[in-house]
Amino acid sequence: GEDVEQSLFLSVREGDSSVINCTYTDSSSTYLYWYKQEPGAGLQLLTYIFSNMDMKQDQRLTVLLNKKDKHLSLRIADTQTGDSAIYFCADFNTDKLIFGTGTRLQVFP
Amino acid sequence: GAVVSQHPSRVICKSGTSVKIECRSLDFQATTMFWYRQFPKQSLMLMATSNEGSKATYEQGVEKDKFLINHASLTLSTLTVTSAHPEDSSFYICSASTAFPGGYTFGSGTRLTVV
Protein backbone atom coordinates (compact mmCIF):
# COMPACT_ATOMS: atom_id res chain seq x y z
CA GLY A 1 0.00 0.00 0.00
CA GLU A 2 0.83 3.66 0.11
CA ASP A 3 3.90 4.53 2.15
CA VAL A 4 5.07 7.91 3.41
CA GLU A 5 8.48 8.18 5.06
CA GLN A 6 10.25 10.89 7.02
CA SER A 7 13.45 11.14 9.00
CA LEU A 8 12.69 10.85 12.69
CA PHE A 9 14.61 13.70 14.20
CA LEU A 10 16.06 17.10 13.34
CA SER A 11 17.91 19.47 15.61
CA VAL A 12 18.64 23.07 14.62
CA ARG A 13 19.90 26.23 16.22
CA GLU A 14 17.48 29.09 16.75
CA GLY A 15 17.57 31.47 13.81
CA ASP A 16 18.79 28.85 11.34
CA SER A 17 16.64 27.27 8.65
CA SER A 18 15.11 23.84 9.14
CA VAL A 19 14.47 21.45 6.27
CA ILE A 20 12.22 18.48 6.88
CA ASN A 21 12.07 15.86 4.16
CA CYS A 22 9.40 13.41 3.13
CA THR A 23 9.18 10.68 0.50
CA TYR A 24 6.04 8.99 -0.70
CA THR A 25 5.17 6.15 -3.02
CA ASP A 26 1.76 7.06 -4.42
CA SER A 27 2.14 8.18 -8.03
CA SER A 28 -1.41 9.48 -8.18
CA SER A 29 -1.19 11.95 -5.30
CA THR A 30 -3.20 15.08 -5.84
CA TYR A 31 -2.39 17.06 -2.71
CA LEU A 32 0.38 16.84 -0.14
CA TYR A 33 0.20 18.40 3.29
CA TRP A 34 2.36 19.45 6.19
CA TYR A 35 0.98 19.31 9.71
CA LYS A 36 2.45 20.35 13.05
CA GLN A 37 1.73 18.52 16.29
CA GLU A 38 2.69 19.91 19.66
CA PRO A 39 2.88 17.59 22.70
CA GLY A 40 -0.49 16.16 23.69
CA ALA A 41 -2.34 18.11 21.04
CA GLY A 42 -4.06 17.52 17.76
CA LEU A 43 -2.70 18.41 14.36
CA GLN A 44 -2.43 21.90 12.95
CA LEU A 45 -2.41 22.31 9.20
CA LEU A 46 0.62 24.34 8.17
CA THR A 47 0.39 24.28 4.42
CA TYR A 48 -0.41 22.12 1.44
CA ILE A 49 0.68 21.87 -2.17
CA PHE A 50 -1.09 20.68 -5.27
CA SER A 51 0.76 17.96 -7.13
CA ASN A 52 1.25 20.04 -10.28
CA MET A 53 3.19 22.67 -8.36
CA ASP A 54 6.92 22.65 -7.68
CA MET A 55 7.02 25.18 -4.90
CA LYS A 56 4.80 27.04 -2.53
CA GLN A 57 5.84 29.76 -0.14
CA ASP A 58 3.86 31.00 2.84
CA GLN A 59 5.69 33.46 5.08
CA ARG A 60 8.49 31.48 6.78
CA LEU A 61 7.42 28.21 5.18
CA THR A 62 8.57 26.97 1.79
CA VAL A 63 7.36 23.69 0.36
CA LEU A 64 9.26 22.03 -2.46
CA LEU A 65 7.82 19.14 -4.43
CA ASN A 66 9.77 16.89 -6.76
CA LYS A 67 7.06 14.78 -8.25
CA LYS A 68 9.44 12.71 -10.35
CA ASP A 69 11.35 11.59 -7.27
CA LYS A 70 8.24 11.65 -5.06
CA HIS A 71 10.04 13.91 -2.63
CA LEU A 72 8.50 16.67 -0.55
CA SER A 73 10.28 19.08 1.75
CA LEU A 74 9.32 21.78 4.22
CA ARG A 75 11.74 24.60 4.89
CA ILE A 76 11.20 26.77 7.94
CA ALA A 77 13.16 30.00 7.78
CA ASP A 78 14.45 31.68 10.94
CA THR A 79 13.45 28.74 13.12
CA GLN A 80 12.23 29.68 16.57
CA THR A 81 11.91 27.69 19.80
CA GLY A 82 8.14 27.77 19.29
CA ASP A 83 8.65 25.72 16.15
CA SER A 84 9.75 22.74 18.25
CA ALA A 85 7.17 20.05 17.54
CA ILE A 86 6.55 16.98 15.44
CA TYR A 87 5.95 17.62 11.76
CA PHE A 88 3.97 15.22 9.62
CA CYS A 89 3.71 15.16 5.90
CA ALA A 90 0.56 13.60 4.51
CA ASP A 91 -0.51 12.40 1.11
CA PHE A 92 -4.09 12.65 -0.02
CA ASN A 93 -4.79 9.24 -1.49
CA THR A 94 -8.17 8.84 -3.19
CA ASP A 95 -10.33 9.76 -0.24
CA LYS A 96 -8.12 9.79 2.84
CA LEU A 97 -4.92 11.17 4.24
CA ILE A 98 -1.91 8.90 4.66
CA PHE A 99 0.53 10.28 7.20
CA GLY A 100 4.26 10.04 7.30
CA THR A 101 6.13 8.79 10.31
CA GLY A 102 6.69 12.29 11.66
CA THR A 103 9.85 14.32 12.24
CA ARG A 104 10.59 15.67 15.68
CA LEU A 105 12.12 19.12 15.34
CA GLN A 106 14.13 20.38 18.28
CA VAL A 107 15.27 23.98 18.30
CA PHE A 108 18.07 24.95 20.66
CA PRO A 109 19.28 28.45 21.60
CA GLY B 1 -12.23 29.08 10.63
CA ALA B 2 -13.46 25.52 10.87
CA VAL B 3 -13.18 24.09 14.37
CA VAL B 4 -13.45 20.49 15.48
CA SER B 5 -14.08 19.92 19.15
CA GLN B 6 -13.09 16.58 20.65
CA HIS B 7 -14.17 15.45 24.10
CA PRO B 8 -12.93 14.28 26.52
CA SER B 9 -9.30 15.28 26.26
CA ARG B 10 -8.26 12.64 28.77
CA VAL B 11 -10.01 9.60 30.14
CA ILE B 12 -8.99 6.78 32.42
CA CYS B 13 -11.15 3.70 32.56
CA LYS B 14 -11.06 0.23 33.99
CA SER B 15 -10.50 -2.85 31.88
CA GLY B 16 -13.74 -4.23 30.57
CA THR B 17 -15.62 -0.96 30.50
CA SER B 18 -16.58 1.08 27.46
CA VAL B 19 -15.55 4.62 26.66
CA LYS B 20 -17.18 7.07 24.26
CA ILE B 21 -15.25 9.84 22.54
CA GLU B 22 -17.12 12.66 20.81
CA CYS B 23 -16.04 14.69 17.83
CA ARG B 24 -18.06 17.77 16.91
CA SER B 25 -17.76 20.18 14.04
CA LEU B 26 -18.62 23.52 15.62
CA ASP B 27 -19.26 25.88 12.75
CA PHE B 28 -19.65 23.69 9.73
CA GLN B 29 -21.31 20.50 8.64
CA ALA B 30 -19.10 17.48 8.25
CA THR B 31 -20.49 14.70 6.14
CA THR B 32 -17.24 12.82 6.56
CA MET B 33 -15.14 12.46 9.66
CA PHE B 34 -12.05 10.38 10.24
CA TRP B 35 -10.78 8.61 13.34
CA TYR B 36 -7.08 8.09 13.91
CA ARG B 37 -5.05 6.34 16.54
CA GLN B 38 -1.58 7.44 17.48
CA PHE B 39 0.85 5.36 19.50
CA PRO B 40 3.62 7.10 21.44
CA LYS B 41 6.23 8.61 19.16
CA GLN B 42 4.52 7.16 16.12
CA SER B 43 2.48 8.38 13.24
CA LEU B 44 -1.28 8.56 12.95
CA MET B 45 -2.99 5.41 11.85
CA LEU B 46 -6.33 5.82 10.16
CA MET B 47 -8.86 3.60 11.88
CA ALA B 48 -12.05 4.40 10.04
CA THR B 49 -13.94 6.86 7.92
CA SER B 50 -17.24 7.95 9.36
CA ASN B 51 -20.00 8.97 6.98
CA GLU B 52 -23.14 10.73 8.18
CA GLY B 53 -26.15 8.49 8.01
CA SER B 54 -24.32 5.36 6.92
CA LYS B 55 -22.00 2.73 8.27
CA ALA B 56 -18.39 3.62 8.88
CA THR B 57 -15.66 2.25 6.65
CA TYR B 58 -12.97 0.56 8.70
CA GLU B 59 -9.36 0.13 7.70
CA GLN B 60 -7.89 -3.31 7.44
CA GLY B 61 -7.06 -4.77 10.81
CA VAL B 62 -9.37 -2.52 12.82
CA GLU B 63 -12.07 -4.42 14.69
CA LYS B 64 -15.40 -2.76 13.99
CA ASP B 65 -17.06 -4.49 16.92
CA LYS B 66 -14.36 -3.17 19.20
CA PHE B 67 -14.37 0.37 17.92
CA LEU B 68 -17.95 1.43 17.31
CA ILE B 69 -18.42 4.54 15.24
CA ASN B 70 -21.65 6.47 14.99
CA HIS B 71 -22.18 9.51 12.78
CA ALA B 72 -25.82 10.29 13.35
CA SER B 73 -25.73 13.98 12.50
CA LEU B 74 -23.75 16.34 10.30
CA THR B 75 -21.93 17.76 13.31
CA LEU B 76 -21.26 14.78 15.54
CA SER B 77 -19.35 11.54 15.25
CA THR B 78 -18.62 9.28 18.18
CA LEU B 79 -16.09 6.53 18.72
CA THR B 80 -16.87 3.99 21.42
CA VAL B 81 -14.11 1.70 22.59
CA THR B 82 -15.95 -1.34 23.87
CA SER B 83 -14.67 -3.70 26.56
CA ALA B 84 -11.48 -1.70 26.78
CA HIS B 85 -8.16 -3.38 27.55
CA PRO B 86 -4.79 -1.86 28.45
CA GLU B 87 -3.58 -2.37 24.88
CA ASP B 88 -6.32 0.03 23.74
CA SER B 89 -4.56 2.81 25.63
CA SER B 90 -3.57 5.36 23.05
CA PHE B 91 -4.13 8.85 21.70
CA TYR B 92 -7.23 9.05 19.51
CA ILE B 93 -7.73 11.95 17.12
CA CYS B 94 -10.67 12.80 14.92
CA SER B 95 -10.74 15.03 11.89
CA ALA B 96 -13.36 16.43 9.60
CA SER B 97 -13.24 17.34 5.97
CA THR B 98 -14.28 20.90 5.22
CA ALA B 99 -13.53 22.76 2.05
CA PHE B 100 -11.16 20.65 0.02
CA PRO B 101 -8.20 20.77 -0.53
CA GLY B 102 -6.86 22.31 2.60
CA GLY B 103 -9.72 21.68 4.91
CA TYR B 104 -8.88 18.67 7.02
CA THR B 105 -9.40 20.04 10.51
CA PHE B 106 -8.31 17.98 13.48
CA GLY B 107 -9.65 17.70 16.97
CA SER B 108 -7.31 18.16 19.91
CA GLY B 109 -7.21 14.45 20.64
CA THR B 110 -8.22 12.14 23.49
CA ARG B 111 -5.69 10.39 25.66
CA LEU B 112 -7.23 7.07 26.70
CA THR B 113 -5.64 5.10 29.51
CA VAL B 114 -7.08 1.71 30.40
CA VAL B 115 -6.06 0.38 33.80
Side-chain angles (χ1 to χ4, degrees), chain A residues 30-31 33 35 37 40-43 45 48 88 92 95-97 99-102 104, chain B residues 34 36 38 41-44 46 59 91 93 100-104 106-109 111:
Chain A
T30 51
Y31 292 92
Y33 300 80
Y35 286 88
Q37 184 181 34
L43 272 70
L45 176 66
Y48 64 92
F88 291 95
F92 182 72
D95 57 355
K96 57 193 178 188
L97 285 176
F99 284 88
T101 46
R104 181 177 296 275
Chain B
F34 304 88
Y36 294 85
Q38 185 179 31
K41 298 184 179 180
Q42 294 190 26
S43 186
L44 282 77
L46 179 65
E59 295 299 303
F91 193 59
I93 308 176
F100 193 78
Y104 288 92
F106 285 78
S108 54
R111 171 74 59 193

Short mmCIF file of all heavy atoms in Angstrom, two decimals, chain A residues 30-31 33 35 37 40-43 45 48 88 92 95-97 99-102 104, chain B residues 34 36 38 41-44 46 59 91 93 100-104 106-109 111:
data_model
loop_
_atom_site.label_atom_id
_atom_site.label_comp_id
_atom_site.label_asym_id
_atom_site.label_seq_id
_atom_site.Cartn_x
_atom_site.Cartn_y
_atom_site.Cartn_z
N THR A 30 -2.68 13.82 -5.33
CA THR A 30 -3.20 15.08 -5.84
C THR A 30 -2.76 16.24 -4.96
O THR A 30 -2.39 17.29 -5.44
CB THR A 30 -4.73 15.05 -5.92
OG1 THR A 30 -5.24 14.61 -4.67
CG2 THR A 30 -5.18 14.12 -7.03
N TYR A 31 -2.81 16.03 -3.65
CA TYR A 31 -2.39 17.06 -2.71
C TYR A 31 -1.47 16.45 -1.66
O TYR A 31 -1.66 15.30 -1.25
CB TYR A 31 -3.60 17.67 -2.00
CG TYR A 31 -4.49 18.48 -2.92
CD1 TYR A 31 -5.57 17.90 -3.55
CD2 TYR A 31 -4.22 19.82 -3.16
CE1 TYR A 31 -6.37 18.63 -4.41
CE2 TYR A 31 -5.01 20.56 -4.01
CZ TYR A 31 -6.08 19.96 -4.63
OH TYR A 31 -6.87 20.69 -5.48
N TYR A 33 0.41 17.50 2.17
CA TYR A 33 0.20 18.40 3.29
C TYR A 33 1.35 18.34 4.29
O TYR A 33 2.04 17.32 4.40
CB TYR A 33 -1.08 18.01 4.04
CG TYR A 33 -2.35 18.05 3.21
CD1 TYR A 33 -2.67 17.01 2.34
CD2 TYR A 33 -3.22 19.12 3.30
CE1 TYR A 33 -3.83 17.05 1.59
CE2 TYR A 33 -4.39 19.16 2.56
CZ TYR A 33 -4.69 18.13 1.70
OH TYR A 33 -5.83 18.17 0.95
N TYR A 35 1.66 19.03 8.46
CA TYR A 35 0.98 19.31 9.71
C TYR A 35 2.00 19.42 10.84
O TYR A 35 3.06 18.81 10.80
CB TYR A 35 0.01 18.18 10.07
CG TYR A 35 -1.24 18.15 9.24
CD1 TYR A 35 -1.28 17.45 8.04
CD2 TYR A 35 -2.39 18.80 9.66
CE1 TYR A 35 -2.44 17.41 7.27
CE2 TYR A 35 -3.55 18.77 8.90
CZ TYR A 35 -3.56 18.08 7.70
OH TYR A 35 -4.70 18.04 6.94
N GLN A 37 2.36 19.04 15.09
CA GLN A 37 1.73 18.52 16.29
C GLN A 37 2.59 18.86 17.50
O GLN A 37 3.74 18.43 17.60
CB GLN A 37 1.52 17.01 16.22
CG GLN A 37 0.76 16.46 17.43
CD GLN A 37 0.58 14.96 17.38
OE1 GLN A 37 1.43 14.23 16.89
NE2 GLN A 37 -0.55 14.49 17.90
N GLY A 40 0.85 16.37 23.15
CA GLY A 40 -0.49 16.16 23.69
C GLY A 40 -1.59 16.88 22.97
O GLY A 40 -2.71 16.99 23.49
N ALA A 41 -1.33 17.33 21.77
CA ALA A 41 -2.34 18.11 21.04
C ALA A 41 -2.67 17.46 19.71
O ALA A 41 -2.02 16.51 19.28
CB ALA A 41 -1.83 19.54 20.82
N GLY A 42 -3.69 18.00 19.07
CA GLY A 42 -4.06 17.52 17.76
C GLY A 42 -3.12 18.07 16.70
O GLY A 42 -2.04 18.57 17.00
N LEU A 43 -3.55 17.99 15.47
CA LEU A 43 -2.70 18.41 14.36
C LEU A 43 -3.15 19.76 13.82
O LEU A 43 -4.34 20.01 13.64
CB LEU A 43 -2.75 17.38 13.23
CG LEU A 43 -1.74 16.26 13.33
CD1 LEU A 43 -2.09 15.34 14.48
CD2 LEU A 43 -1.66 15.49 12.04
N LEU A 45 -2.82 22.23 10.59
CA LEU A 45 -2.41 22.31 9.20
C LEU A 45 -1.50 23.51 9.00
O LEU A 45 -1.85 24.63 9.35
CB LEU A 45 -3.62 22.44 8.28
CG LEU A 45 -3.32 22.64 6.80
CD1 LEU A 45 -2.65 21.41 6.21
CD2 LEU A 45 -4.60 22.97 6.03
N TYR A 48 -0.21 23.24 2.35
CA TYR A 48 -0.41 22.12 1.44
C TYR A 48 0.03 22.56 0.05
O TYR A 48 0.16 23.75 -0.24
CB TYR A 48 -1.85 21.64 1.43
CG TYR A 48 -2.83 22.65 0.90
CD1 TYR A 48 -3.18 22.68 -0.44
CD2 TYR A 48 -3.43 23.57 1.76
CE1 TYR A 48 -4.09 23.61 -0.93
CE2 TYR A 48 -4.32 24.50 1.28
CZ TYR A 48 -4.65 24.51 -0.05
OH TYR A 48 -5.54 25.43 -0.53
N PHE A 88 4.41 16.34 10.44
CA PHE A 88 3.97 15.22 9.62
C PHE A 88 3.69 15.69 8.21
O PHE A 88 3.02 16.71 8.01
CB PHE A 88 2.67 14.62 10.17
CG PHE A 88 2.81 13.92 11.49
CD1 PHE A 88 2.56 14.57 12.68
CD2 PHE A 88 3.20 12.58 11.54
CE1 PHE A 88 2.68 13.92 13.89
CE2 PHE A 88 3.33 11.92 12.75
CZ PHE A 88 3.06 12.59 13.92
N PHE A 92 -2.68 12.91 0.19
CA PHE A 92 -4.09 12.65 -0.02
C PHE A 92 -4.22 11.56 -1.07
O PHE A 92 -3.86 11.74 -2.24
CB PHE A 92 -4.82 13.90 -0.48
CG PHE A 92 -6.30 13.69 -0.66
CD1 PHE A 92 -7.12 13.54 0.44
CD2 PHE A 92 -6.87 13.61 -1.93
CE1 PHE A 92 -8.48 13.32 0.29
CE2 PHE A 92 -8.22 13.40 -2.08
CZ PHE A 92 -9.03 13.26 -0.98
N ASP A 95 -9.35 9.11 -1.09
CA ASP A 95 -10.33 9.76 -0.24
C ASP A 95 -9.89 9.86 1.21
O ASP A 95 -10.71 10.06 2.10
CB ASP A 95 -11.66 9.01 -0.30
CG ASP A 95 -11.51 7.55 0.10
OD1 ASP A 95 -10.37 7.11 0.33
OD2 ASP A 95 -12.54 6.86 0.20
N LYS A 96 -8.59 9.71 1.46
CA LYS A 96 -8.12 9.79 2.84
C LYS A 96 -6.68 10.26 2.88
O LYS A 96 -5.95 10.19 1.88
CB LYS A 96 -8.24 8.43 3.51
CG LYS A 96 -7.49 7.32 2.81
CD LYS A 96 -7.92 5.97 3.35
CE LYS A 96 -7.21 4.85 2.59
NZ LYS A 96 -7.73 3.53 2.94
N LEU A 97 -6.28 10.72 4.04
CA LEU A 97 -4.92 11.17 4.24
C LEU A 97 -4.06 10.02 4.76
O LEU A 97 -4.45 9.32 5.69
CB LEU A 97 -4.87 12.30 5.27
CG LEU A 97 -5.34 13.68 4.84
CD1 LEU A 97 -5.31 14.63 6.02
CD2 LEU A 97 -4.49 14.23 3.72
N PHE A 99 -0.47 9.48 6.51
CA PHE A 99 0.53 10.28 7.20
C PHE A 99 1.90 9.64 7.17
O PHE A 99 2.04 8.41 7.19
CB PHE A 99 0.11 10.50 8.66
CG PHE A 99 -0.97 11.53 8.81
CD1 PHE A 99 -2.30 11.16 8.74
CD2 PHE A 99 -0.65 12.85 9.01
CE1 PHE A 99 -3.30 12.11 8.85
CE2 PHE A 99 -1.64 13.81 9.13
CZ PHE A 99 -2.97 13.43 9.04
N GLY A 100 2.90 10.48 7.14
CA GLY A 100 4.26 10.04 7.30
C GLY A 100 4.54 9.69 8.75
O GLY A 100 3.67 9.83 9.62
N THR A 101 5.75 9.26 8.99
CA THR A 101 6.13 8.79 10.31
C THR A 101 6.39 9.92 11.29
O THR A 101 6.50 9.68 12.48
CB THR A 101 7.38 7.92 10.20
OG1 THR A 101 8.32 8.58 9.34
CG2 THR A 101 7.04 6.57 9.58
N GLY A 102 6.48 11.14 10.79
CA GLY A 102 6.69 12.29 11.66
C GLY A 102 8.15 12.58 11.91
O GLY A 102 8.97 11.66 12.06
N ARG A 104 10.55 14.84 14.47
CA ARG A 104 10.59 15.67 15.68
C ARG A 104 11.64 16.74 15.49
O ARG A 104 12.84 16.43 15.34
CB ARG A 104 10.90 14.81 16.90
CG ARG A 104 10.95 15.61 18.22
CD ARG A 104 11.19 14.70 19.40
NE ARG A 104 10.11 13.75 19.60
CZ ARG A 104 8.99 14.00 20.27
NH1 ARG A 104 8.83 15.20 20.83
NH2 ARG A 104 8.06 13.08 20.41
N PHE B 34 -13.04 11.45 10.21
CA PHE B 34 -12.05 10.38 10.24
C PHE B 34 -11.59 10.18 11.68
O PHE B 34 -11.44 11.13 12.44
CB PHE B 34 -10.83 10.75 9.37
CG PHE B 34 -11.19 11.08 7.95
CD1 PHE B 34 -11.53 12.38 7.60
CD2 PHE B 34 -11.18 10.10 6.98
CE1 PHE B 34 -11.86 12.70 6.29
CE2 PHE B 34 -11.50 10.41 5.66
CZ PHE B 34 -11.85 11.71 5.32
N TYR B 36 -8.45 8.56 13.94
CA TYR B 36 -7.08 8.09 13.91
C TYR B 36 -6.66 7.63 15.30
O TYR B 36 -7.18 8.09 16.31
CB TYR B 36 -6.12 9.22 13.48
CG TYR B 36 -6.30 9.70 12.06
CD1 TYR B 36 -7.25 10.65 11.74
CD2 TYR B 36 -5.50 9.19 11.04
CE1 TYR B 36 -7.40 11.11 10.45
CE2 TYR B 36 -5.65 9.65 9.74
CZ TYR B 36 -6.60 10.60 9.45
OH TYR B 36 -6.75 11.04 8.16
N GLN B 38 -3.00 7.12 17.49
CA GLN B 38 -1.58 7.44 17.48
C GLN B 38 -0.91 6.82 18.69
O GLN B 38 -1.26 7.11 19.83
CB GLN B 38 -1.36 8.96 17.48
CG GLN B 38 0.09 9.36 17.34
CD GLN B 38 0.27 10.87 17.32
OE1 GLN B 38 -0.49 11.60 17.93
NE2 GLN B 38 1.29 11.33 16.62
N LYS B 41 5.11 8.35 20.07
CA LYS B 41 6.23 8.61 19.16
C LYS B 41 6.02 7.94 17.80
O LYS B 41 7.00 7.62 17.12
CB LYS B 41 7.55 8.17 19.79
CG LYS B 41 7.88 8.92 21.07
CD LYS B 41 9.23 8.54 21.62
CE LYS B 41 9.50 9.34 22.90
NZ LYS B 41 10.81 8.99 23.48
N GLN B 42 4.80 7.76 17.42
CA GLN B 42 4.52 7.16 16.12
C GLN B 42 3.55 8.02 15.33
O GLN B 42 3.02 9.01 15.83
CB GLN B 42 3.96 5.75 16.28
CG GLN B 42 4.95 4.77 16.87
CD GLN B 42 4.45 3.34 16.79
OE1 GLN B 42 3.64 3.00 15.92
NE2 GLN B 42 4.92 2.51 17.68
N SER B 43 3.34 7.61 14.12
CA SER B 43 2.48 8.38 13.24
C SER B 43 1.01 8.10 13.53
O SER B 43 0.67 7.30 14.40
CB SER B 43 2.80 8.05 11.79
OG SER B 43 2.08 8.88 10.92
N LEU B 44 0.15 8.79 12.80
CA LEU B 44 -1.28 8.56 12.95
C LEU B 44 -1.70 7.41 12.05
O LEU B 44 -1.35 7.35 10.87
CB LEU B 44 -2.06 9.82 12.53
CG LEU B 44 -2.10 10.96 13.53
CD1 LEU B 44 -0.79 11.72 13.54
CD2 LEU B 44 -3.24 11.90 13.21
N LEU B 46 -4.91 5.66 10.42
CA LEU B 46 -6.33 5.82 10.16
C LEU B 46 -7.07 4.56 10.58
O LEU B 46 -6.72 3.46 10.16
CB LEU B 46 -6.57 6.10 8.67
CG LEU B 46 -8.03 6.26 8.26
CD1 LEU B 46 -8.64 7.50 8.90
CD2 LEU B 46 -8.14 6.36 6.73
N GLU B 59 -10.60 0.55 8.34
CA GLU B 59 -9.36 0.13 7.70
C GLU B 59 -9.05 -1.32 8.06
O GLU B 59 -9.53 -1.84 9.06
CB GLU B 59 -8.21 1.04 8.13
CG GLU B 59 -8.37 2.47 7.68
CD GLU B 59 -8.43 2.61 6.17
OE1 GLU B 59 -7.47 2.17 5.49
OE2 GLU B 59 -9.43 3.17 5.67
N PHE B 91 -3.64 7.50 21.97
CA PHE B 91 -4.13 8.85 21.70
C PHE B 91 -5.02 8.75 20.46
O PHE B 91 -4.58 8.28 19.42
CB PHE B 91 -2.93 9.77 21.44
CG PHE B 91 -3.24 11.23 21.44
CD1 PHE B 91 -3.80 11.83 22.55
CD2 PHE B 91 -2.96 12.02 20.35
CE1 PHE B 91 -4.07 13.20 22.57
CE2 PHE B 91 -3.23 13.39 20.35
CZ PHE B 91 -3.78 13.98 21.46
N ILE B 93 -7.50 10.64 17.72
CA ILE B 93 -7.73 11.95 17.12
C ILE B 93 -8.77 11.83 16.01
O ILE B 93 -8.72 10.91 15.20
CB ILE B 93 -6.44 12.54 16.51
CG1 ILE B 93 -5.30 12.54 17.52
CG2 ILE B 93 -6.68 13.95 16.00
CD1 ILE B 93 -3.98 13.03 16.93
N PHE B 100 -12.34 21.22 0.67
CA PHE B 100 -11.16 20.65 0.02
C PHE B 100 -10.47 21.70 -0.81
O PHE B 100 -11.12 22.56 -1.39
CB PHE B 100 -11.62 19.49 -0.87
CG PHE B 100 -10.52 18.62 -1.36
CD1 PHE B 100 -9.94 17.68 -0.53
CD2 PHE B 100 -10.03 18.77 -2.63
CE1 PHE B 100 -8.92 16.88 -0.97
CE2 PHE B 100 -9.00 17.98 -3.10
CZ PHE B 100 -8.44 17.03 -2.27
N PRO B 101 -9.15 21.80 -0.92
CA PRO B 101 -8.20 20.77 -0.53
C PRO B 101 -7.55 20.96 0.82
O PRO B 101 -6.94 20.04 1.34
CB PRO B 101 -7.13 20.89 -1.62
CG PRO B 101 -7.11 22.35 -1.93
CD PRO B 101 -8.53 22.80 -1.80
N GLY B 102 -7.62 22.11 1.38
CA GLY B 102 -6.86 22.31 2.60
C GLY B 102 -7.65 22.18 3.87
O GLY B 102 -7.22 22.61 4.94
N GLY B 103 -8.79 21.57 3.80
CA GLY B 103 -9.72 21.68 4.91
C GLY B 103 -9.85 20.50 5.83
O GLY B 103 -10.93 20.25 6.36
N TYR B 104 -8.79 19.75 6.04
CA TYR B 104 -8.88 18.67 7.02
C TYR B 104 -8.55 19.26 8.39
O TYR B 104 -7.40 19.54 8.71
CB TYR B 104 -7.90 17.55 6.69
CG TYR B 104 -8.34 16.75 5.48
CD1 TYR B 104 -7.91 17.08 4.21
CD2 TYR B 104 -9.21 15.67 5.62
CE1 TYR B 104 -8.32 16.35 3.11
CE2 TYR B 104 -9.63 14.94 4.52
CZ TYR B 104 -9.17 15.29 3.27
OH TYR B 104 -9.58 14.58 2.18
N PHE B 106 -8.46 19.03 12.48
CA PHE B 106 -8.31 17.98 13.48
C PHE B 106 -8.81 18.42 14.85
O PHE B 106 -8.68 19.59 15.22
CB PHE B 106 -6.85 17.56 13.58
CG PHE B 106 -6.40 16.70 12.44
CD1 PHE B 106 -6.08 17.26 11.21
CD2 PHE B 106 -6.31 15.33 12.58
CE1 PHE B 106 -5.69 16.47 10.15
CE2 PHE B 106 -5.91 14.52 11.53
CZ PHE B 106 -5.60 15.10 10.30
N GLY B 107 -9.35 17.46 15.58
CA GLY B 107 -9.65 17.70 16.97
C GLY B 107 -8.37 17.71 17.78
O GLY B 107 -7.28 17.41 17.26
N SER B 108 -8.49 18.04 19.04
CA SER B 108 -7.31 18.16 19.91
C SER B 108 -6.87 16.82 20.50
O SER B 108 -5.86 16.75 21.17
CB SER B 108 -7.57 19.16 21.02
OG SER B 108 -8.75 18.82 21.71
N GLY B 109 -7.64 15.77 20.21
CA GLY B 109 -7.21 14.45 20.64
C GLY B 109 -7.75 14.04 22.00
O GLY B 109 -8.11 14.87 22.83
N ARG B 111 -6.65 11.34 25.09
CA ARG B 111 -5.69 10.39 25.66
C ARG B 111 -6.46 9.37 26.48
O ARG B 111 -7.03 9.70 27.51
CB ARG B 111 -4.68 11.11 26.54
CG ARG B 111 -3.76 10.20 27.36
CD ARG B 111 -2.72 9.56 26.52
NE ARG B 111 -1.87 10.54 25.84
CZ ARG B 111 -1.04 10.24 24.85
NH1 ARG B 111 -0.94 9.02 24.40
NH2 ARG B 111 -0.31 11.18 24.31
#
